[in-house]
Amino acid sequence: MNNNDRKTLSARRLFTGNDWRTNVVLEVVNGQLESFHCDQPGPHEFDLIAPSFIDLQLYGAEGRLLSVFPDAATIHAMKRFCEAGGATHFQPTVATNSPEVMSACINAVRSYWQEGGEGCIGLHLEGPWIHPQKKGAHLEAFIQRGTLVAAADLLKEGGDVISMITLAPECCDEGVIDLLRAAGIIVSAGHSNASYEDATNAFNTGVSTATHLYNAMSSLQHRSPGMVGAIMDHASVCCSIIPDGHHVDAAAIRIAQKVMGERLFMITDAVTDTDTGPYQHQKSGDKYVSAGTLSGSKINMVEGVRYLVNQAGIGVEDALRMASLYPARIMNRKNLSGTIEAGQPFQAVGLDDQLFVKRVYRGS
């Protein structure tokens, strides 16, 4: 091992993703955590070191929406945005769009990887196989039914790049979900008007996650529990949530977290300013709107963590796991653990006592 790249770090608190340690000194060699020692005297460089965050849904950054600028430069901008918010890994996302735009976004991820770009897990396609009645800010003109032919064509073109697809299970032909899962793609239910019964059946037969709880899905009613009820009632399905103060009320987040526990994780759903293309996002206070409809957030991951703690009343430990460990479990990749362990790549974020990012470590 080349010990030239050796860092000694210290923190008043270390959250490993599993437990807490105090007054810790860490030895990092060539991007891997060699060892750490507790009960070491201060002062310390950080108040808190925690596993770095993982954002499984964002659309652009720095004025470059991926669907408008589908190139490696946009994904580099997304990486910078994510790192500023404590995230080392991210999943660029494109909303329901034309086949040509979807293809260009697939190629953008390939180009980013070919340039040696770091942190990009793969492409998240949100649509186009969604329900028109739950389209949210998505454009109905691009919505399609999910057929076996369409799924096979999509896999042929981008099966090596696409890592997640959000779809409405009731808008797909039989066999589509199985085909996607066989290709290693995470299937997430969203923008769906499914009944409680149909949603539960989808979760029991291959759909492992759902997209942005409460938003763009059949709601929980006392005589018709809908997809929200099916998500909360299921034993294993996971779901993302957007903690920006606009997509979901803080109390609704807190209720969901009490019910779902480790099955609830956070995303930013972050967009960026754009005045071209079919999806034009304009800032409206501290959120984005498109044609008057809430269309995305402006938060990064650490801002979401702070909202979970300070507004939703969720404990720091749970909030950190919602941003790191739980997304890592969903993606189930060797290079994503959501934990800090000796002998593993040191993927971590150094924070101050107010949960603001001081430094991000990407690991090897």
Side-chain angles (χ1 to χ4, degrees):
M1 177 182 290
N2 180 2
N3 288 341
N4 291 333
D5 185 12
R6 175 179 287 271
K7 298 180 178 69
T8 300
L9 312 174
S10 65
R12 187 174 70 84
R13 298 178 296 164
L14 169 68
F15 181 60
T16 68
N18 296 310
D19 53 25
W20 291 92
R21 309 294 176 91
T22 57
N23 298 319
V24 179
V25 172
L26 306 93
E27 298 292 339
V28 180
V29 179
N30 295 329
Q32 289 202 332
L33 179 61
E34 184 179 74
S35 63
F36 63 86
H37 307 281
C38 304
D39 303 319
Q40 303 297 304
H44 297 297
E45 183 177 0
F46 303 105
D47 182 77
L48 170 63
I49 290 178
S52 59
F53 307 140
I54 302 166
D55 190 355
L56 298 186
Q57 189 162 327
L58 75 160
Y59 302 88
E62 300 178 4
R64 298 183 66 88
L65 196 71
L66 181 60
S67 61
V68 176
F69 300 100
D71 53 34
T74 297
I75 302 179
H76 281 288
M78 297 166 95
K79 176 192 171 187
R80 292 189 292 270
F81 173 85
C82 288
E83 287 184 338
T88 54
H89 293 81
F90 60 100
Q91 197 169 229
T93 306
V94 58
T96 301
N97 217 307
S98 69
E100 293 76 18
V101 167
M102 297 282 195
S103 296
C105 292
I106 288 169
N107 289 328
V109 172
R110 282 202 188 101
S111 296
Y112 179 78
W113 285 341
Q114 289 167 0
E115 292 178 7
E118 298 176 307
C120 176
I121 298 168
L123 183 66
H124 180 178
L125 298 183
E126 191 185 14
W129 308 326
I130 62 174
H131 199 292
Q133 291 182 19
K134 296 297 179 182
K135 62 184 177 63
H138 290 222
L139 296 179
E140 190 166 352
F142 293 130
I143 294 174
Q144 303 174 13
R145 181 166 185 84
T147 66
L148 281 169
V149 171
D153 288 345
L154 184 64
L155 291 176
K156 183 177 180 180
E157 180 173 19
D160 60 325
V161 168
I162 301 165
S163 46
M164 180 178 284
I165 294 179
T166 293
L167 52 77
E170 74 276 19
C171 296
C172 294
D173 291 348
E174 185 176 354
V176 166
I177 292 171
D178 289 341
L179 185 63
L180 298 175
R181 291 182 64 240
I185 293 172
I186 305 294
V187 179
S188 187
H191 289 273
S192 168
N193 204 31
S195 66
Y196 169 89
E197 292 77 13
D198 287 344
T200 299
N201 180 64
F203 301 150
N204 287 338
T205 56
V207 176
S208 58
T209 67
T211 295
H212 44 53
L213 185 64
Y214 299 117
N215 298 119
M217 61 176 64
S218 47
S219 60
L220 172 61
Q221 305 292 332
H222 67 294
R223 292 192 178 94
S224 179
M227 178 168 280
V228 172
I231 291 167
M232 290 187 174
D233 196 37
H234 201 267
S236 62
V237 72
C238 300
C239 190
S240 61
I241 201 160
I242 308 166
D244 68 340
H246 298 286
H247 283 81
V248 185
D249 185 84
I253 296 176
R254 185 167 57 252
I255 291 166
Q257 196 274 333
K258 287 179 179 178
V259 173
M260 295 180 64
E262 297 183 4
R263 298 187 293 117
L264 187 69
F265 66 99
M266 72 158 285
I267 54 172
T268 65
D269 198 56
V271 298
T272 188
D273 301 275
T274 182
D275 58 5
T276 58
Y279 290 101
Q280 299 185 17
H281 302 283
Q282 296 85 36
K283 279 184 185 174
S284 176
D286 56 355
K287 63 182 183 300
Y288 280 94
V289 298
S290 180
T293 299
L294 179 64
S295 61
S297 87
K298 64 181 291 294
I299 62 168
N300 59 28
M301 288 293 283
V302 79
E303 289 170 335
V305 168
R306 289 200 300 270
Y307 185 89
L308 291 172
V309 173
N310 298 328
Q311 274 69 48
I314 291 172
V316 173
E317 179 176 314
D318 288 327
L320 291 171
R321 284 174 170 159
M322 288 173 68
S324 56
L325 179 61
Y326 302 157
R329 285 178 180 173
I330 287 160
M331 298 314 298
N332 193 26
R333 303 287 183 93
K334 287 183 178 180
N335 65 331
L336 292 177
S337 67
T339 60
I340 295 175
E341 302 176 53
Q344 299 298 320
F346 186 61
Q347 297 169 355
V349 57
L351 301 160
D352 68 14
D353 59 357
Q354 299 299 310
L355 297 177
F356 283 83
V357 173
K358 294 183 69 176
R359 182 80 183 267
V360 173
Y361 299 91
R362 180 167 295 281
S364 57

